[in-house]
Amino acid sequence: EDQVTQSPEALRLQEGESSSLNCSYTVSGLRGLFWYRQDPGKGPEFLFTLYSAGEEKEKERLKATLTKKESFLHITAPKPEDSATYLCAVDYSGAGSYQLTFGKGTKLSVIP
Amino acid sequence: DTAVSQTPKYLVTQMGNDKSIKCEQNLGHDTMYWYKQDSKKFLKIMFSYNNKELIINETVPNRFSPKSPDKAHLNLHINSLELGDSAVYFCASSQDEQENTEAFFGQGTRLTVV
């Protein structure tokens, strides 16, 4: 059973069409939930860390929220340059020290 | 300034060869990692090093060995390469403080075994 599940696998949006990406997790002892952006041919780029349920963080058109079982990455009025794969990862006490367990990602395409 | 840099970016080699990938970070971080991203883009941790000590060793073949000459470097050595080793390998580092555990990744090394 996957410990981190992201949905949808792929998402196509028109420019300006807001939407949300989901990351659900089954681990216990969450120490942190991380969102990354990955462009083709590049390494993951850090976006946010969330540590406790109810926490929210924003950066430009992106807003990340966290509950006890899942996180959402809300994208408001996306632009074509927001096209990328968005990865969710968790660090939890059952894993090794500060080890990230990743989901399989959501590939976002924003059409002009 | 590149925070986490790895070389080479591309590596094509024949089965059975031995190869190394180098990684350096200039962030002053305490821990460095190697991740493998397979053809389905799934990122999975292989190793991490903290202060020259191996603290995580996932169930990877012992043909893979991390070597850390100092806190800023973590190289990955692979012996007797197999077709299934083809993937993108990412180096990463993190500070490992309570509220500062995010990992920063290098650009990746695409390894192709033929």
Side-chain angles (χ1 to χ4, degrees):
Chain A
E1 178 187 336
D2 287 349
Q3 296 169 306
V4 181
T5 303
Q6 291 188 245
S7 62
E9 287 186 16
L11 181 63
R12 284 171 62 93
L13 298 174
Q14 291 292 323
E15 185 172 359
E17 179 187 0
S18 301
S19 187
S20 295
L21 313 183
N22 177 265
C23 171
S24 62
Y25 58 94
T26 58
V27 302
S28 45
L30 183 76
R31 291 194 292 231
L33 185 140
F34 303 80
W35 282 99
Y36 285 84
R37 169 192 171 128
Q38 187 174 23
D39 293 299
K42 296 195 175 179
E45 177 188 343
F46 171 74
L47 292 174
F48 304 108
T49 311
L50 302 166
Y51 292 102
S52 56
E55 190 174 357
E56 298 182 353
K57 288 193 177 173
E58 287 188 66
K59 180 181 180 180
E60 296 180 355
R61 295 177 292 281
L62 300 177
K63 178 179 176 181
T65 62
L66 180 64
T67 72
K68 288 187 178 179
K69 291 294 182 187
E70 59 190 349
S71 175
F72 291 94
L73 184 65
H74 307 277
I75 304 177
T76 303
K79 297 182 178 181
E81 53 261 42
D82 294 322
S83 298
T85 295
Y86 290 85
L87 299 169
C88 170
V90 298
D91 172 30
Y92 63 104
S93 56
S97 177
Y98 303 113
Q99 169 182 248
L100 294 181
T101 300
F102 280 86
K104 294 180 180 177
T106 293
K107 185 175 181 180
L108 174 66
S109 301
V110 182
I111 313 302
Chain B
D1 269 352
T2 303
V4 181
S5 60
Q6 49 184 113
T7 56
K9 186 173 170 70
Y10 300 97
L11 182 55
V12 181
T13 188
Q14 290 187 324
M15 281 176 50
N17 283 351
D18 303 337
K19 289 294 178 184
S20 295
I21 306 172
K22 295 185 176 181
C23 179
E24 176 182 5
Q25 56 97 1
N26 63 6
L27 298 168
H29 285 171
D30 295 323
T31 303
M32 296 182 71
Y33 310 83
W34 278 104
Y35 283 83
K36 179 180 180 179
Q37 191 168 45
D38 61 25
S39 57
K40 297 183 179 180
K41 309 296 184 187
F42 190 35
L43 260 175
K44 191 167 184 182
I45 191 162
M46 300 177 70
F47 303 105
S48 73
Y49 253 80
N50 181 292
N51 293 325
K52 291 193 175 183
E53 270 188 89
L54 179 65
I55 59 173
I56 301 173
N57 188 347
E58 287 292 308
T59 54
V60 299
N62 57 14
R63 297 181 294 103
F64 290 79
S65 56
K67 292 201 181 351
S68 180
D70 56 55
K71 184 177 163 181
H73 296 83
L74 182 66
N75 303 324
L76 182 65
H77 297 272
I78 315 170
N79 295 324
S80 303
L81 278 155
E82 300 178 357
L83 292 176
D85 297 332
S86 297
V88 182
Y89 293 85
F90 287 99
C91 177
S93 70
S94 65
Q95 184 61 45
D96 292 351
E97 293 172 346
Q98 183 64 30
E99 293 283 326
N100 195 19
T101 60
E102 60 268 21
F104 293 85
F105 286 78
Q107 64 179 6
T109 295
R110 180 175 293 279
L111 171 65
T112 303
V113 182
V114 297

